[in-house]
Amino acid sequence: MEETTSNKSKKQSTNPGNSINTWSVQCGECFKWRVIPTQEQYEEIRSKFIEDPFVCCKLPTVSCDEPSDIEYDNTRTWVIDKPNLPKTPPGFKKRLVLRKDYFKFDCYYDAPNGKKLRSSAEASRFLDKHPECKKDISPSDFSFFSPKIMEDTIPAKVVKKI
DNA sequence: GCCACCGGTGGC
DNA sequence: GCCACCGGTGGC
């Protein structure tokens, strides 16, 4: 279960390259990496990864015989995710912003009204203020987990923090 | 004045 | 010692 970033990215924020632009999962049988086209599809797979592990043949046009989509190497920075994180609630947008020093991510949810949520505490408070959301969404539907950045794939020019 | 970004720290 | 959380602020 992985996500990757690289220095090439779609413009999702003011600072290109600081967000995740490729989502991929590893097949539990052949161990090849498969790129998942959208964050939403990726989150769907991730949300039940333990009880329903990913295998290549779940993708419509792929099997374990096909070469892998991408390789784990330092042509891009890799970060390791956790299985079974909650899917982003409908109407919300989840963003992971990588700090310039590659030390960690900041995780945000953009609420339907544009409000930016920065922590579980803020998410809970938001739901309390918006009972209409609370019907379908609970605080446990938010995860501010920051994926682990793989040090051996951090660009050499980045100055490491001591 | 706002907000993206970063730094500091309290609580575990 | 770590990291979730949030206050502060520089740059716009």
Side-chain angles (χ1 to χ4, degrees):
Chain A
M1 181 74 36
E2 303 273 334
E3 304 162 2
T4 68
T5 68
S6 84
N7 51 11
K8 302 278 183 297
S9 74
K10 289 174 270 179
K11 264 278 201 310
Q12 293 162 331
S13 76
T14 52
N15 182 5
N18 69 351
S19 57
I20 290 167
N21 62 23
T22 307
W23 310 85
S24 69
V25 294
Q26 192 172 30
C27 173
E29 287 176 3
C30 71
F31 305 111
K32 288 172 186 148
W33 290 100
R34 299 298 173 198
V35 170
I36 306 302
T38 68
Q39 177 175 356
E40 192 181 3
Q41 290 171 265
Y42 172 81
E43 287 192 357
E44 170 68 23
I45 294 168
R46 182 180 60 186
S47 69
K48 44 189 179 186
F49 194 77
I50 292 172
E51 63 272 27
D52 186 16
F54 175 78
V55 284
C56 292
C57 57
K58 285 184 183 267
L59 299 175
T61 60
V62 181
S63 79
C64 290
D65 298 331
E66 307 289 329
S68 63
D69 294 339
I70 52 173
E71 304 288 342
Y72 180 89
D73 59 30
N74 63 9
T75 58
R76 51 165 63 73
T77 299
W78 287 70
V79 302
I80 304 211
D81 212 350
K82 266 199 327 200
N84 285 43
L85 297 180
K87 280 196 282 183
T88 301
F92 289 76
K93 177 155 188 275
K94 183 177 184 176
R95 296 183 289 129
L96 286 163
V97 179
L98 184 62
R99 295 205 177 185
K100 288 192 177 63
D101 59 7
Y102 282 60
F103 197 62
K104 66 174 175 178
F105 286 92
D106 291 301
C107 182
Y108 307 110
Y109 286 85
D110 296 318
N113 67 359
K115 164 97 173 144
K116 179 176 168 180
L117 307 176
R118 303 187 296 166
S119 68
S120 303
E122 288 189 2
S124 293
R125 270 181 249 133
F126 179 87
L127 291 180
D128 286 340
K129 271 197 208 155
H130 297 270
E132 74 279 7
C133 288
K134 217 170 175 177
K135 286 201 310 266
D136 313 302
I137 303 170
S138 85
S140 64
D141 292 322
F142 297 88
S143 165
F144 289 82
F145 169 76
S146 168
K148 180 181 159 58
I149 298 142
M150 300 308 287
E151 196 154 343
D152 57 339
T153 64
I154 294 176
K157 65 181 180 202
V158 175
V159 178
K160 302 248 172 62
K161 212 176 199 175
I162 302 171

